[in-house]
Amino acid sequence: MTKIYISHHAKQAILIVNLKFYLLWPYVGMSCERDLWAGWLGMTDNALANFITTHTCPDRPPHCPEIVLHLASEAVALWQLSADELDQQGLPLPFWAFAWAGGQALARYLLDHPKRVQDKHVYDIASGSGLVAIAAKMSGAKQVTAVDIDPYAIAAVGLNASLNQVDLATYQGDLIGQILQTDVLLVGDLFYEREIAEPLFAWLRQCQQAGILVLIGDPGRTYLPKAGLKELACYSIPVSRELEDQDIKVTRVWGLA
């Protein structure tokens, strides 16, 4: 099997494509409910589920073997296919098809420290595959809401929740800047662009000041602020060379100081 290495600059370009949609989504969400928006693009629930199950296989993230997810075994092939199909629809690329290091670290932390979420209401921001949300529910959270802007991610969360026999709520849209009624806010691997990171961190600080526990999983992304954090755990996460520039990513779980 031939592997294609994605350069740092190529990754940045991919992430910028996702960012553009991320910034535009709140305006779309003001006038379109999820079903209407998905229907306009020809994406029924069945179509979303079929795309996911066709291009992924059930697998267990190496650092969270308790959890099974629909994951892509051919990262570059799915990336290119999704780029071709989704570019016309203005949708993000398939971040939901991979267990990113930041998400694995945060999920591992919750599974090892269930009291952090036990009997609590939890929001998982930019949930992707739902890995962190599933870990929170398996750790005893009372209610977990997986949040993502991508209808494919929302569909993947539902499929993955079923695989793990847990119940999750979902919300498709952008909640950054909004006031949440919750106990815990989880963020896995979202500090890869300055335009996202700065408003995100300011919002997380506001949430903390409102009494919400904020937990962040991050493998050393460039735009995670270095000040105002306290390290809670550190893991060495095996990752794919198709997605990262290393075989092992040293990944930390942070709280806000």
Side-chain angles (χ1 to χ4, degrees):
M1 178 178 64
T2 302
K3 291 186 176 182
I4 303 174
Y5 176 69
I6 303 176
S7 71
H8 172 74
H9 294 296
K11 289 180 187 176
Q12 291 293 94
I14 289 169
L15 293 173
I16 288 171
V17 170
N18 184 57
L19 172 65
K20 289 178 179 177
F21 181 80
Y22 185 97
L23 294 175
L24 288 173
W25 181 264
Y27 301 99
V28 174
M30 289 178 184
S31 58
C32 298
E33 296 293 335
R34 172 176 177 256
D35 291 342
L36 177 60
W37 177 240
W40 182 58
L41 295 174
M43 299 181 297
T44 64
D45 287 343
N46 286 339
L48 295 171
N50 287 339
F51 182 89
I52 292 166
T53 56
T54 297
H55 298 289
T56 63
C57 294
D59 200 359
R60 297 181 183 275
H63 224 64
C64 307
E66 302 95 324
I67 296 173
V68 59
L69 302 171
H70 288 279
L71 297 176
S73 57
E74 296 285 345
V76 173
L78 178 59
W79 213 260
Q80 292 174 337
L81 174 65
S82 296
D84 293 339
E85 292 195 2
L86 301 182
D87 182 61
Q88 297 179 4
Q89 301 171 349
L91 291 174
L93 288 162
F95 294 98
W96 48 265
F98 308 100
W100 299 91
Q104 288 196 56
L106 188 49
R108 180 75 267 155
Y109 179 78
L110 297 177
L111 293 168
D112 291 343
H113 303 85
K115 290 185 178 180
R116 302 294 266 176
V117 294
Q118 199 167 43
D119 298 322
K120 293 181 170 63
H121 289 82
V122 177
Y123 273 71
D124 176 30
I125 303 300
S127 191
S129 67
L131 169 60
V132 176
I134 291 167
K137 191 64 177 178
M138 291 174 65
S139 299
K142 185 175 183 179
Q143 181 177 348
V144 180
T145 302
V147 180
D148 207 289
I149 60 172
D150 183 358
Y152 282 87
I154 297 299
V157 168
L159 292 171
N160 291 331
S162 295
L163 280 180
N164 293 276
Q165 299 181 329
V166 298
D167 293 324
L168 300 176
T170 58
Y171 178 87
Q172 185 187 331
D174 177 15
L175 291 179
I176 294 176
Q178 298 187 31
I179 299 173
L180 299 182
Q181 298 297 320
T182 191
D183 302 306
V184 183
L185 198 55
L186 305 173
V187 181
D189 218 333
L190 195 51
F191 287 88
Y192 49 74
E193 279 290 333
R194 186 191 305 275
E195 290 82 354
I196 294 175
E198 291 182 354
L200 171 61
F201 195 77
W203 177 61
L204 294 178
R205 181 67 71 190
Q206 293 172 357
C207 290
Q208 182 207 33
Q209 293 169 353
I212 299 172
L213 173 65
V214 175
L215 298 174
I216 300 168
D218 185 83
R221 301 300 183 200
T222 302
Y223 297 105
L224 177 68
K226 303 302 185 290
L229 299 174
K230 57 182 177 182
E231 183 176 326
L232 302 176
C234 183
Y235 304 98
S236 295
I237 309 290
V239 292
S240 170
R241 275 278 186 169
E242 291 180 306
L243 298 173
E244 303 282 4
D245 55 359
Q246 303 170 6
D247 294 316
I248 302 291
K249 294 289 284 187
V250 175
T251 307
R252 290 173 171 82
V253 175
W254 301 95
L256 299 187

